[in-house]
Amino acid sequence: MVHGRDRELRVIGHFATDLDPTVLVVRGLSGIGKTSTVLHALKQVGAGSSAVRVVRPCSSRPSAHDLDNSRRVDLSAWSVPDDPADGPGFDAAGFLRAVSVWAGDGGSGPRVLFVDDVGVLTAERARWLQHLADEAYGQDWRVIAAVRSIAVEPLSDDVEVLELGPLDRMSLRRALATEMSAPVAADVVEHLRWWSAGNPRLALELAGSLSAAELRGDVSWAGPETVGSAARRAYRAMLAGLDPATMTALATAPLGAAAARRDGRSSVRHPLLALLCKEVRGADGQVDGRDALAPDRDVTDAGALLRILDGLHLEELPARAWAAVAAVPDPHLAARAVGVSLMTGRTWRDHLAGSLVPDGVGAEWTDHLWWRDLTGVGAEARAAGARVAEALLCLEDTGDLPDPGALRADLRLIGPTPGQDWVGVDIQVRALLTLGDVVGARGLLADHSGATPDRAVAEIVARDLAAARVAAFDGRAVDVRAHLAHATELRPSVDAWLPARGMRASADAVVDGTVPGSTMPAQAGSWSARVLGEYAADLGAAHLVVGQAEGAVALLTIALEHCAWPYRGRVQVRCDLVESVMASTPPGRVGPRAQRLLDPPVAPEERSTPDVAAAYARLDALLADDGVPSVAFETALHAPSAPMSPWQRVRMLVAYGRYAVTRGGRATGNAMLDEARTLVRLAGMAGWLRGIDAFLAEADASGGTGPEWEVLGTHEREMVKLAVHGATNSQIAQATFVSERTVVNRLRRAYATLGIRDRRDLVRLAETRPPAWLAGG
């Protein structure tokens, strides 16, 4: 597999199809990818069966292979023991004839002889290669040779040298992802790249010695303590050529520090070569540098625990984060432990019997939760920070928020302050979304998202999670997936965190129509009440998108019981619940458990932004009384108080369409759902198509096209209601102040609209499939 070799592939491809009588020598350390690069380039230019790879040319048993290594021919008859240059009788023409006969016609592709495994290109081997190339050119063959190093300079003018350099980070990451069964964290890839000097084979050898936790970054990895066999082969010749002074200098180089920096300033170009020098000097009794490479596993020290939490090496913790703080009271450590616990959603203080922090930490720990640098932060903001921490920890434990107004005021004091920590920003963003303040959340994220090179892994992941939450609140599912992908690239274990799993399930449903899988959370019992509620809300939203309204009702009911203040905002989650209930429950049959959660008081501040206001209008329309929902939906759709986003308009159209079809207004509902189909295709939300189709199929299965109750006008509805309850035409005329003839004409029009013949059909239809305005009337 070739990764990140575009320039080299172009050079090799150009050489293979050029007419110049030259030899191309591809040079690079063992494991750098010479063979795979050449083979890939030849396949790209269509060499196919017209190209031949010669293996072990400088041995007594050379052989020729096709590019796929599916055919082989022995070339021992043309070999020369020890070194081909030592045999003056080497028959290059016969060698090429044998290869040509074996290769056959070869089709229309370029005829390329790829001489692999030359090793060190000595002067003798260079002459032999030139002799072979001269003969090959006469028989219309081009020659490419792969060598580890060149012992003689300069080479002939007829020889071109292509140096294969190290792979860049992204290319090495792709190579590791192709070969390894476990995901590899981005910073671990950077470690592997530094230690291997970008050599893919050496990086794979190093990665193969790591545990799954080390590959994911859940446990830190400082570097190897011994050199593997691939590295010994790669650096054998280089090690043998070092003078004693150079070997000693490399052996004493601070490899651990250089690897930890990963900033490109280290003078050690081949760190595994330096490690080999340490081994040699250690065996001689002169230098032993291995202690510098051993990772620090002492987790009883506050500094070590901070490094673990900052790097999200969470499997190194001796217990849950807060248990570690209780053992080592330190304000910085306490702040990071709380921040990481709130970010991941893990329960954090189940053993503290209600106390906010362990004894000995001190009240100032909350300062470090929000700020990296307290310069310019006043006493009022710091006091607000302490109150916010207490309120959010209460929310974490109980799922409730006693005083949302006070939380809103305190967040306004913290937000503008400088020097904030991104973990604290993530916590504030989630709190603002909880209060329905998406504008404040976006602004906070923008104000504090500037690039800072010394941010810890925990902070970088926190920034992505905060951005994902804002995108989920806004309905930007593609952005949700992008932010989560960036976070999981740095720490693959983020994928297992309940907050990320919920957001991903919801985003996948919107973008692709993916039906959510099992709802069982990993490590059940380890998550806070708040996170369980938010996870259920995300899954419920996903079920609603794909048309599984009954499943959505159950999940959203559980969500609001666990967390009355989810990050998606009370208005939007409650609107999802109402819509699910209306889509899955016959009119007037809402269960008491769901009914209890449908219409709680919602403060005006929670619906101040246009999208939340649109969701609230949808909620009002769904819960409106007799005959009003259509008018309420029309008002919310066509005369909203503020422009709504495409996401909210889709939600409005789908809700209106489902509501109308469920209550007999099939023509009205179809028009709304057709407009929604067009909009979701344009807006990248095609997952909604699955839910719309599932809903319509279910509606057809339960009763065909259905009566068009919603098409009836106000006067016709009044007369139909009286007729259903047994009033005669004369009584209806008296009650509605019109003539009896007018009653007859309007009832006939109503019968035609509903697809029935007479009053008996009307009564039967009203009993079996009543509209909302008729039920109970």
Side-chain angles (χ1 to χ4, degrees), residues 335-336 338-339 342 364-374 377 381-393 407 410-411 414-415 417-431 444 448 455 459:
R336 183 57 88 219
V338 169
L342 292 175
E364 73 275 14
W365 73 269
T366 56
D367 293 342
H368 305 295
L369 178 62
W370 310 114
W371 297 284
R372 304 172 94 231
D373 181 3
L374 285 170
V377 180
R382 293 175 62 187
R387 292 191 296 269
V388 170
E390 185 172 5
L392 295 182
L393 289 173
L407 176 63
D410 284 337
L411 288 169
I414 300 174
T417 56
Q420 295 199 27
D421 185 289
W422 280 342
V423 173
V425 170
D426 170 51
I427 298 169
Q428 292 177 71
V429 163
R430 198 188 73 235
L444 182 68
H448 299 287
R455 298 285 183 173
E459 291 192 71

Short mmCIF file of all heavy atoms in Angstrom, two decimals, residues 335-336 338-339 342 364-374 377 381-393 407 410-411 414-415 417-431 444 448 455 459:
data_model
loop_
_atom_site.label_atom_id
_atom_site.label_comp_id
_atom_site.label_asym_id
_atom_site.label_seq_id
_atom_site.Cartn_x
_atom_site.Cartn_y
_atom_site.Cartn_z
N ALA A 335 -9.91 20.90 39.60
CA ALA A 335 -10.58 21.55 38.48
C ALA A 335 -10.55 20.69 37.24
O ALA A 335 -11.57 20.53 36.55
CB ALA A 335 -9.90 22.90 38.20
N ARG A 336 -9.39 20.10 36.95
CA ARG A 336 -9.30 19.29 35.73
C ARG A 336 -10.12 18.00 35.87
O ARG A 336 -10.75 17.55 34.91
CB ARG A 336 -7.84 18.96 35.41
CG ARG A 336 -7.66 18.18 34.13
CD ARG A 336 -8.25 18.90 32.92
NE ARG A 336 -7.32 19.81 32.30
CZ ARG A 336 -7.64 21.00 31.81
NH1 ARG A 336 -8.88 21.42 31.89
NH2 ARG A 336 -6.76 21.78 31.24
N VAL A 338 -12.90 17.59 37.64
CA VAL A 338 -14.30 17.94 37.45
C VAL A 338 -14.58 18.23 35.97
O VAL A 338 -15.58 17.78 35.41
CB VAL A 338 -14.68 19.16 38.32
CG1 VAL A 338 -16.05 19.68 37.94
CG2 VAL A 338 -14.66 18.78 39.79
N GLY A 339 -13.69 19.00 35.34
CA GLY A 339 -13.89 19.34 33.93
C GLY A 339 -13.95 18.11 33.04
O GLY A 339 -14.83 17.99 32.18
N LEU A 342 -17.22 16.19 33.71
CA LEU A 342 -18.37 16.81 33.07
C LEU A 342 -18.33 16.65 31.55
O LEU A 342 -19.37 16.50 30.91
CB LEU A 342 -18.42 18.30 33.42
CG LEU A 342 -18.73 18.64 34.88
CD1 LEU A 342 -18.63 20.14 35.10
CD2 LEU A 342 -20.10 18.14 35.29
N GLU A 364 -10.68 27.75 45.94
CA GLU A 364 -10.20 28.36 44.69
C GLU A 364 -10.11 27.38 43.53
O GLU A 364 -9.76 27.76 42.41
CB GLU A 364 -8.82 29.00 44.92
CG GLU A 364 -7.65 28.02 45.07
CD GLU A 364 -7.49 27.52 46.49
OE1 GLU A 364 -8.42 27.73 47.30
OE2 GLU A 364 -6.44 26.95 46.79
N TRP A 365 -10.46 26.11 43.75
CA TRP A 365 -10.37 25.14 42.65
C TRP A 365 -11.26 25.54 41.47
O TRP A 365 -10.94 25.26 40.30
CB TRP A 365 -10.72 23.73 43.13
CG TRP A 365 -12.18 23.49 43.41
CD1 TRP A 365 -12.84 23.66 44.58
CD2 TRP A 365 -13.16 23.03 42.46
NE1 TRP A 365 -14.17 23.34 44.43
CE2 TRP A 365 -14.40 22.94 43.14
CE3 TRP A 365 -13.13 22.68 41.12
CZ2 TRP A 365 -15.57 22.54 42.53
CZ3 TRP A 365 -14.29 22.26 40.50
CH2 TRP A 365 -15.50 22.19 41.20
N THR A 366 -12.40 26.21 41.75
CA THR A 366 -13.30 26.58 40.66
C THR A 366 -12.68 27.62 39.73
O THR A 366 -13.03 27.69 38.55
CB THR A 366 -14.63 27.12 41.22
OG1 THR A 366 -14.37 28.22 42.10
CG2 THR A 366 -15.38 26.04 41.97
N ASP A 367 -11.73 28.43 40.25
CA ASP A 367 -11.03 29.37 39.36
C ASP A 367 -10.33 28.61 38.23
O ASP A 367 -10.36 29.03 37.07
CB ASP A 367 -9.99 30.17 40.15
CG ASP A 367 -10.61 31.11 41.16
OD1 ASP A 367 -11.82 31.41 41.04
OD2 ASP A 367 -9.89 31.55 42.09
N HIS A 368 -9.70 27.50 38.57
CA HIS A 368 -8.93 26.74 37.58
C HIS A 368 -9.84 25.95 36.64
O HIS A 368 -9.39 25.51 35.59
CB HIS A 368 -7.96 25.80 38.29
CG HIS A 368 -7.06 26.51 39.26
ND1 HIS A 368 -6.13 27.44 38.85
CD2 HIS A 368 -6.98 26.46 40.62
CE1 HIS A 368 -5.49 27.92 39.92
NE2 HIS A 368 -5.99 27.34 40.99
N LEU A 369 -11.11 25.77 37.02
CA LEU A 369 -12.05 25.11 36.11
C LEU A 369 -12.33 25.99 34.89
O LEU A 369 -12.49 25.49 33.78
CB LEU A 369 -13.35 24.81 36.86
CG LEU A 369 -14.48 24.15 36.06
CD1 LEU A 369 -14.07 22.79 35.53
CD2 LEU A 369 -15.73 24.04 36.92
N TRP A 370 -12.35 27.32 35.10
CA TRP A 370 -12.73 28.22 34.00
C TRP A 370 -11.54 28.90 33.35
O TRP A 370 -11.59 29.19 32.15
CB TRP A 370 -13.69 29.30 34.53
CG TRP A 370 -14.83 28.74 35.32
CD1 TRP A 370 -15.08 28.93 36.65
CD2 TRP A 370 -15.89 27.90 34.84
NE1 TRP A 370 -16.21 28.26 37.03
CE2 TRP A 370 -16.74 27.62 35.94
CE3 TRP A 370 -16.20 27.36 33.59
CZ2 TRP A 370 -17.86 26.83 35.82
CZ3 TRP A 370 -17.33 26.57 33.48
CH2 TRP A 370 -18.15 26.30 34.57
N TRP A 371 -10.47 29.18 34.11
CA TRP A 371 -9.42 30.04 33.59
C TRP A 371 -8.05 29.37 33.66
O TRP A 371 -7.69 28.75 34.68
CB TRP A 371 -9.35 31.36 34.36
CG TRP A 371 -10.60 32.17 34.23
CD1 TRP A 371 -10.97 32.91 33.14
CD2 TRP A 371 -11.64 32.33 35.21
NE1 TRP A 371 -12.18 33.52 33.38
CE2 TRP A 371 -12.62 33.18 34.64
CE3 TRP A 371 -11.84 31.84 36.49
CZ2 TRP A 371 -13.78 33.54 35.31
CZ3 TRP A 371 -13.01 32.20 37.18
CH2 TRP A 371 -13.96 33.04 36.59
N ARG A 372 -7.29 29.51 32.60
CA ARG A 372 -5.88 29.10 32.61
C ARG A 372 -5.03 30.19 33.24
O ARG A 372 -3.99 29.93 33.82
CB ARG A 372 -5.38 28.85 31.18
CG ARG A 372 -6.19 27.84 30.40
CD ARG A 372 -5.75 27.81 28.94
NE ARG A 372 -4.75 26.76 28.75
CZ ARG A 372 -3.60 26.93 28.17
NH1 ARG A 372 -3.25 28.14 27.76
NH2 ARG A 372 -2.75 25.92 28.01
N ASP A 373 -5.48 31.43 33.06
CA ASP A 373 -4.74 32.59 33.56
C ASP A 373 -5.75 33.54 34.19
O ASP A 373 -6.69 33.99 33.53
CB ASP A 373 -4.00 33.27 32.40
CG ASP A 373 -3.19 34.48 32.83
OD1 ASP A 373 -3.15 34.76 34.04
OD2 ASP A 373 -2.61 35.13 31.95
N LEU A 374 -5.56 33.86 35.47
CA LEU A 374 -6.52 34.70 36.20
C LEU A 374 -6.27 36.19 36.02
O LEU A 374 -7.01 37.00 36.59
CB LEU A 374 -6.47 34.35 37.69
CG LEU A 374 -7.14 33.03 38.08
CD1 LEU A 374 -6.81 32.68 39.52
CD2 LEU A 374 -8.63 33.10 37.87
N VAL A 377 -9.20 38.85 35.65
CA VAL A 377 -10.46 38.26 36.10
C VAL A 377 -10.78 38.83 37.48
O VAL A 377 -10.02 38.65 38.43
CB VAL A 377 -10.38 36.72 36.15
CG1 VAL A 377 -11.72 36.14 36.62
CG2 VAL A 377 -10.00 36.16 34.79
N ALA A 381 -16.54 37.94 38.87
CA ALA A 381 -16.56 36.83 37.91
C ALA A 381 -16.13 35.53 38.58
O ALA A 381 -16.69 34.45 38.31
CB ALA A 381 -15.65 37.14 36.73
N ARG A 382 -15.14 35.60 39.48
CA ARG A 382 -14.69 34.39 40.16
C ARG A 382 -15.77 33.83 41.07
O ARG A 382 -15.99 32.61 41.14
CB ARG A 382 -13.42 34.68 40.95
CG ARG A 382 -12.22 35.02 40.08
CD ARG A 382 -11.02 35.44 40.91
NE ARG A 382 -10.57 34.37 41.79
CZ ARG A 382 -9.62 34.53 42.72
NH1 ARG A 382 -9.07 35.73 42.90
NH2 ARG A 382 -9.25 33.52 43.47
N ALA A 383 -16.50 34.72 41.74
CA ALA A 383 -17.62 34.26 42.58
C ALA A 383 -18.71 33.64 41.72
O ALA A 383 -19.32 32.62 42.10
CB ALA A 383 -18.17 35.43 43.39
N ALA A 384 -18.95 34.25 40.55
CA ALA A 384 -19.94 33.68 39.64
C ALA A 384 -19.50 32.29 39.16
O ALA A 384 -20.31 31.37 39.03
CB ALA A 384 -20.14 34.60 38.44
N GLY A 385 -18.18 32.13 38.91
CA GLY A 385 -17.65 30.84 38.50
C GLY A 385 -17.90 29.76 39.53
O GLY A 385 -18.23 28.61 39.20
N ALA A 386 -17.75 30.11 40.81
CA ALA A 386 -18.00 29.13 41.88
C ALA A 386 -19.48 28.73 41.90
O ALA A 386 -19.82 27.56 42.08
CB ALA A 386 -17.59 29.72 43.22
N ARG A 387 -20.37 29.71 41.69
CA ARG A 387 -21.81 29.40 41.71
C ARG A 387 -22.21 28.55 40.50
O ARG A 387 -23.03 27.62 40.62
CB ARG A 387 -22.62 30.70 41.73
CG ARG A 387 -22.49 31.48 43.04
CD ARG A 387 -23.52 32.60 43.10
NE ARG A 387 -23.33 33.61 42.06
CZ ARG A 387 -22.59 34.70 42.19
NH1 ARG A 387 -21.95 34.93 43.33
NH2 ARG A 387 -22.48 35.57 41.20
N VAL A 388 -21.63 28.85 39.35
CA VAL A 388 -21.94 28.05 38.15
C VAL A 388 -21.48 26.62 38.33
O VAL A 388 -22.20 25.67 37.98
CB VAL A 388 -21.28 28.68 36.90
CG1 VAL A 388 -21.39 27.74 35.70
CG2 VAL A 388 -21.93 30.02 36.57
N ALA A 389 -20.29 26.42 38.88
CA ALA A 389 -19.79 25.07 39.12
C ALA A 389 -20.74 24.29 40.02
O ALA A 389 -21.08 23.13 39.74
CB ALA A 389 -18.39 25.12 39.74
N GLU A 390 -21.20 24.94 41.07
CA GLU A 390 -22.11 24.25 42.00
C GLU A 390 -23.43 23.90 41.31
O GLU A 390 -23.96 22.80 41.47
CB GLU A 390 -22.36 25.14 43.22
CG GLU A 390 -23.21 24.46 44.29
CD GLU A 390 -23.29 25.27 45.57
OE1 GLU A 390 -22.75 26.39 45.59
OE2 GLU A 390 -23.88 24.77 46.54
N ALA A 391 -23.98 24.84 40.52
CA ALA A 391 -25.26 24.59 39.85
C ALA A 391 -25.14 23.45 38.84
O ALA A 391 -26.03 22.59 38.74
CB ALA A 391 -25.73 25.86 39.15
N LEU A 392 -24.03 23.42 38.09
CA LEU A 392 -23.88 22.40 37.06
C LEU A 392 -23.57 21.03 37.65
O LEU A 392 -23.95 20.00 37.08
CB LEU A 392 -22.80 22.81 36.06
CG LEU A 392 -23.13 24.06 35.24
CD1 LEU A 392 -22.02 24.37 34.25
CD2 LEU A 392 -24.46 23.90 34.50
N LEU A 393 -22.89 20.99 38.78
CA LEU A 393 -22.68 19.71 39.45
C LEU A 393 -23.99 19.19 40.02
O LEU A 393 -24.23 17.97 40.04
CB LEU A 393 -21.62 19.85 40.54
CG LEU A 393 -20.20 20.04 40.01
CD1 LEU A 393 -19.23 20.33 41.14
CD2 LEU A 393 -19.75 18.82 39.24
N LEU A 407 -28.31 31.11 36.99
CA LEU A 407 -27.26 30.52 36.15
C LEU A 407 -27.02 31.38 34.92
O LEU A 407 -25.87 31.64 34.54
CB LEU A 407 -27.66 29.10 35.74
CG LEU A 407 -26.69 28.39 34.79
CD1 LEU A 407 -25.33 28.21 35.44
CD2 LEU A 407 -27.25 27.04 34.35
N ASP A 410 -24.99 34.45 35.93
CA ASP A 410 -23.59 34.13 36.26
C ASP A 410 -22.79 33.80 35.00
O ASP A 410 -21.61 34.16 34.89
CB ASP A 410 -23.55 32.97 37.24
CG ASP A 410 -23.92 33.39 38.66
OD1 ASP A 410 -23.78 34.59 38.97
OD2 ASP A 410 -24.36 32.52 39.45
N LEU A 411 -23.40 33.12 34.05
CA LEU A 411 -22.70 32.80 32.80
C LEU A 411 -22.34 34.07 32.03
O LEU A 411 -21.30 34.14 31.38
CB LEU A 411 -23.55 31.88 31.93
CG LEU A 411 -23.68 30.43 32.42
CD1 LEU A 411 -24.75 29.68 31.63
CD2 LEU A 411 -22.34 29.70 32.30
N ILE A 414 -19.08 35.35 33.49
CA ILE A 414 -17.88 34.58 33.17
C ILE A 414 -17.49 34.74 31.71
O ILE A 414 -16.31 34.88 31.37
CB ILE A 414 -18.11 33.08 33.46
CG1 ILE A 414 -18.45 32.86 34.93
CG2 ILE A 414 -16.87 32.26 33.10
CD1 ILE A 414 -18.82 31.42 35.25
N GLY A 415 -18.48 34.73 30.81
CA GLY A 415 -18.22 34.64 29.38
C GLY A 415 -17.21 35.61 28.80
O GLY A 415 -16.31 35.20 28.06
N THR A 417 -14.69 37.14 30.11
CA THR A 417 -13.38 37.23 30.76
C THR A 417 -12.30 36.57 29.90
O THR A 417 -12.56 35.60 29.19
CB THR A 417 -13.40 36.56 32.14
OG1 THR A 417 -13.85 35.20 31.99
CG2 THR A 417 -14.34 37.28 33.07
N PRO A 418 -11.05 37.07 29.97
CA PRO A 418 -9.97 36.51 29.16
C PRO A 418 -9.35 35.27 29.82
O PRO A 418 -9.67 34.91 30.95
CB PRO A 418 -8.95 37.66 29.12
CG PRO A 418 -9.15 38.36 30.44
CD PRO A 418 -10.62 38.25 30.74
N GLY A 419 -8.44 34.63 29.07
CA GLY A 419 -7.62 33.54 29.62
C GLY A 419 -8.37 32.28 29.96
O GLY A 419 -7.99 31.56 30.88
N GLN A 420 -9.44 31.96 29.22
CA GLN A 420 -10.27 30.81 29.59
C GLN A 420 -9.69 29.49 29.09
O GLN A 420 -9.04 29.41 28.05
CB GLN A 420 -11.69 30.99 29.08
CG GLN A 420 -12.40 32.17 29.73
CD GLN A 420 -13.90 32.09 29.58
OE1 GLN A 420 -14.48 31.02 29.45
NE2 GLN A 420 -14.56 33.25 29.63
N ASP A 421 -9.98 28.45 29.82
CA ASP A 421 -9.60 27.08 29.49
C ASP A 421 -10.72 26.49 28.62
O ASP A 421 -11.89 26.67 28.90
CB ASP A 421 -9.46 26.27 30.78
CG ASP A 421 -8.95 24.87 30.55
OD1 ASP A 421 -9.71 24.06 30.01
OD2 ASP A 421 -7.81 24.58 30.92
N TRP A 422 -10.35 25.77 27.56
CA TRP A 422 -11.36 25.26 26.63
C TRP A 422 -12.27 24.22 27.29
O TRP A 422 -13.42 24.07 26.87
CB TRP A 422 -10.70 24.67 25.40
CG TRP A 422 -10.29 25.72 24.42
CD1 TRP A 422 -10.74 27.00 24.36
CD2 TRP A 422 -9.34 25.58 23.37
NE1 TRP A 422 -10.12 27.68 23.34
CE2 TRP A 422 -9.25 26.82 22.71
CE3 TRP A 422 -8.54 24.54 22.92
CZ2 TRP A 422 -8.43 27.04 21.63
CZ3 TRP A 422 -7.72 24.75 21.84
CH2 TRP A 422 -7.66 25.99 21.20
N VAL A 423 -11.79 23.49 28.27
CA VAL A 423 -12.68 22.57 28.98
C VAL A 423 -13.78 23.36 29.67
O VAL A 423 -14.96 23.00 29.63
CB VAL A 423 -11.89 21.70 29.99
CG1 VAL A 423 -12.85 20.87 30.84
CG2 VAL A 423 -10.90 20.78 29.27
N GLY A 424 -13.41 24.48 30.30
CA GLY A 424 -14.41 25.34 30.91
C GLY A 424 -15.33 25.97 29.89
O GLY A 424 -16.54 26.13 30.14
N VAL A 425 -14.80 26.33 28.72
CA VAL A 425 -15.64 26.89 27.65
C VAL A 425 -16.69 25.87 27.21
O VAL A 425 -17.86 26.20 27.00
CB VAL A 425 -14.77 27.34 26.46
CG1 VAL A 425 -15.64 27.69 25.25
CG2 VAL A 425 -13.92 28.55 26.84
N ASP A 426 -16.28 24.61 27.06
CA ASP A 426 -17.22 23.55 26.69
C ASP A 426 -18.36 23.45 27.70
O ASP A 426 -19.53 23.33 27.34
CB ASP A 426 -16.48 22.22 26.57
CG ASP A 426 -17.42 21.04 26.42
OD1 ASP A 426 -18.30 21.09 25.54
OD2 ASP A 426 -17.28 20.06 27.18
N ILE A 427 -18.02 23.51 28.98
CA ILE A 427 -19.03 23.40 30.03
C ILE A 427 -19.99 24.59 29.96
O ILE A 427 -21.21 24.44 30.09
CB ILE A 427 -18.36 23.31 31.41
CG1 ILE A 427 -17.50 22.04 31.49
CG2 ILE A 427 -19.39 23.32 32.52
CD1 ILE A 427 -16.59 22.00 32.71
N GLN A 428 -19.45 25.79 29.73
CA GLN A 428 -20.30 26.98 29.61
C GLN A 428 -21.20 26.90 28.38
O GLN A 428 -22.39 27.27 28.43
CB GLN A 428 -19.44 28.23 29.51
CG GLN A 428 -18.68 28.60 30.77
CD GLN A 428 -17.80 29.81 30.53
OE1 GLN A 428 -18.30 30.92 30.40
NE2 GLN A 428 -16.50 29.60 30.47
N VAL A 429 -20.65 26.42 27.27
CA VAL A 429 -21.44 26.30 26.04
C VAL A 429 -22.64 25.38 26.27
O VAL A 429 -23.77 25.69 25.88
CB VAL A 429 -20.57 25.78 24.88
CG1 VAL A 429 -21.42 25.26 23.72
CG2 VAL A 429 -19.64 26.88 24.38
N ARG A 430 -22.38 24.26 26.91
CA ARG A 430 -23.48 23.33 27.18
C ARG A 430 -24.52 23.97 28.09
O ARG A 430 -25.73 23.80 27.91
CB ARG A 430 -22.95 22.04 27.80
CG ARG A 430 -23.93 20.88 27.71
CD ARG A 430 -23.48 19.69 28.49
NE ARG A 430 -23.62 19.92 29.92
CZ ARG A 430 -22.64 19.80 30.80
NH1 ARG A 430 -21.44 19.43 30.40
NH2 ARG A 430 -22.84 20.03 32.08
N ALA A 431 -24.07 24.73 29.09
CA ALA A 431 -25.00 25.39 30.00
C ALA A 431 -25.85 26.43 29.26
O ALA A 431 -27.07 26.54 29.50
CB ALA A 431 -24.24 26.05 31.14
N LEU A 444 -19.59 32.65 22.52
CA LEU A 444 -18.55 32.20 23.45
C LEU A 444 -17.55 31.31 22.73
O LEU A 444 -16.34 31.43 22.91
CB LEU A 444 -19.20 31.45 24.61
CG LEU A 444 -18.26 30.96 25.70
CD1 LEU A 444 -17.67 32.13 26.46
CD2 LEU A 444 -18.98 30.02 26.66
N HIS A 448 -13.36 32.31 22.06
CA HIS A 448 -12.28 31.58 22.74
C HIS A 448 -11.73 30.41 21.93
O HIS A 448 -11.10 29.52 22.48
CB HIS A 448 -12.78 31.06 24.09
CG HIS A 448 -13.22 32.14 25.02
ND1 HIS A 448 -12.33 32.98 25.66
CD2 HIS A 448 -14.45 32.55 25.40
CE1 HIS A 448 -13.01 33.84 26.41
NE2 HIS A 448 -14.29 33.60 26.27
N ARG A 455 -2.14 24.09 24.04
CA ARG A 455 -3.35 23.52 24.63
C ARG A 455 -3.19 22.01 24.79
O ARG A 455 -2.64 21.33 23.94
CB ARG A 455 -4.56 23.79 23.74
CG ARG A 455 -4.87 25.28 23.56
CD ARG A 455 -5.51 25.91 24.78
NE ARG A 455 -5.86 27.30 24.56
CZ ARG A 455 -6.55 28.04 25.39
NH1 ARG A 455 -6.96 27.55 26.53
NH2 ARG A 455 -6.82 29.30 25.12
N GLU A 459 -8.27 19.90 26.29
CA GLU A 459 -8.84 21.16 25.82
C GLU A 459 -9.24 21.09 24.36
O GLU A 459 -10.28 21.61 23.95
CB GLU A 459 -7.85 22.29 26.04
CG GLU A 459 -7.60 22.64 27.50
CD GLU A 459 -6.84 23.95 27.64
OE1 GLU A 459 -7.44 25.01 27.36
OE2 GLU A 459 -5.66 23.91 27.99
#
